[in-house]
Amino acid sequence: MYVARALPEYTRASGWVDLLPPRRPQDALSGHVTADVAVIGAGFAGLAAARTLQEQDPALRIVLLEASEIALGAAGRNSGFVIDLPHEVSSEDYAGGQASDTRRQIHLNRSAIALIARIAAENGCGRDVFDPCGKYNIAMGSKGDHHITAYARQLDALGEPYRLLDAKAIAEVTGTDRFSSAIHMPGTAIIQPAAWVRLAADSLGPGVRLHERTPVTAFARQGGAWQLTTPHGQVTAPRVILATNGHAQSFGLYAGQLLHVFTYASMSEPFAPARLGGHRSWAATPAFPMGTTVRRVQGTDGDRLLIRSRYTYHARPKIGEADVARAGRVHDRKFAARFPTLRGLRMAHRWGGAMALTWNGVPTVGEIEPGLFSACTCNGVGATKATAAGIAAAQQALGLDTELVDTFRRAAPPRALPPQPWLTLGARLNLRWREWRAGIE
């Protein structure tokens, strides 16, 4: 039996949720139900799994259980980049010599984008929810410039399209002269994560029963089926997909293998578009790993800017308001350095979101034991990797042998982490060193 030692806990909702109108959650599970497949977790991975199951076999009875409400968890706290190409431009893992591995990863990423795009198109989404506009990697100095040009050479070797921008060209996009260069990659999609997750959940067909505010407290295999226990009900299903990212460890799975790292974001109050030149909607990741992500979000009440930066390790997936406040002070400095003409603009929303990482950067996707499939461990690229993991786990649960399943199957097993207290000490020092190394970026 797998028993939850803790349930997911969150700080205040993200700014993405606050921008949306209220939504009535689906009823919590009450009583006993049976299903062909039960999916635990309704974030990117769980929604992708439910949708894939439904597409492959519309006759399936699927139960989708969400511990909180749709978009209040990690998926709704995402920064909204659904990335097709590796975004750590200094990484040697994506050099030309590893082209075959890189191609598999790009296929994995683009499989996720295809599903997200399909759901958006079927529901008539506007560009405020799903925008296939690509993304920029931006630099603020010579160190970032070097990584931009090095990444361009890697893309040349792969035959992938891109566009280089000098300081003047990127200023015409961003409205600020603080960036020194950039590279634009057209294949990334940008989403309003909370709006898209709501849409994906609310557009599931009648074969999927979604229950919110229904945490799974335990599950066990009895005979040929799994029994899932919730506060007010039970689910019996021969197949279960666990799509809970780092929360899988609360059930005793992947002990000593998962790192719980939080990243943080701040979103400004709306401002008149005339206060900042450039395009009204753009999204940029940093040229240097562990740097600062920036998005400009166009709205009917004005535009907003999002700053994402700061990383903290925690022994369990939980933070407090003090952690968010400390990160917010860092964001204010980052914002002032990038947008000096917007002095006095207040940050209206601040939040943190959990990531699950393994030491060697591999996912935990596959069959754990008969009928129990994992779609966990995003390794910091949640919208893309978690969506792909959910698709692959669903395909495995149906006995399909696809290229996506094969890509996950090829991944090495997670490396064991050092014991405490060395793990906490080492992880925190490593994150601080990487942030220091990123410097102004």
Side-chain angles (χ1 to χ4, degrees), residues 87-90 261-263 285-293 308-313 330 334 338 355 357 427-441:
H87 72 301
E88 290 196 355
V89 297
S90 68
V261 174
F262 280 75
T263 188
T285 51
F288 204 83
M290 303 291 288
T292 304
T293 292
R308 187 188 71 186
S309 185
R310 190 79 176 95
Y311 297 83
T312 60
Y313 164 79
V330 175
K334 302 276 191 179
R338 286 157 176 78
M355 303 183 294
L357 291 75
R428 290 179 175 173
L429 286 174
N430 184 269
L431 289 173
R432 290 291 180 89
W433 176 79
R434 287 174 178 266
E435 289 182 324
W436 173 84
R437 188 166 171 256
I440 193 173
E441 302 292 341

Side-chain angles (χ1 to χ4, degrees), residues 221-238:
R221 189 166 180 84
Q222 296 181 8
W226 288 90
Q227 303 289 332
L228 283 63
T229 301
T230 73
H232 304 289
Q234 281 191 326
V235 180
T236 300

Side-chain angles (χ1 to χ4, degrees), residues 13 31 38 48 104 120 132 147 157 163 180 186 198 262 266 306 344 376 410 418 426:
R104 280 192 288 270
H147 288 296
R163 178 167 58 97
S180 55
R198 282 187 178 185
F262 280 75
S266 295
L306 176 141
C376 298
R410 288 172 179 267

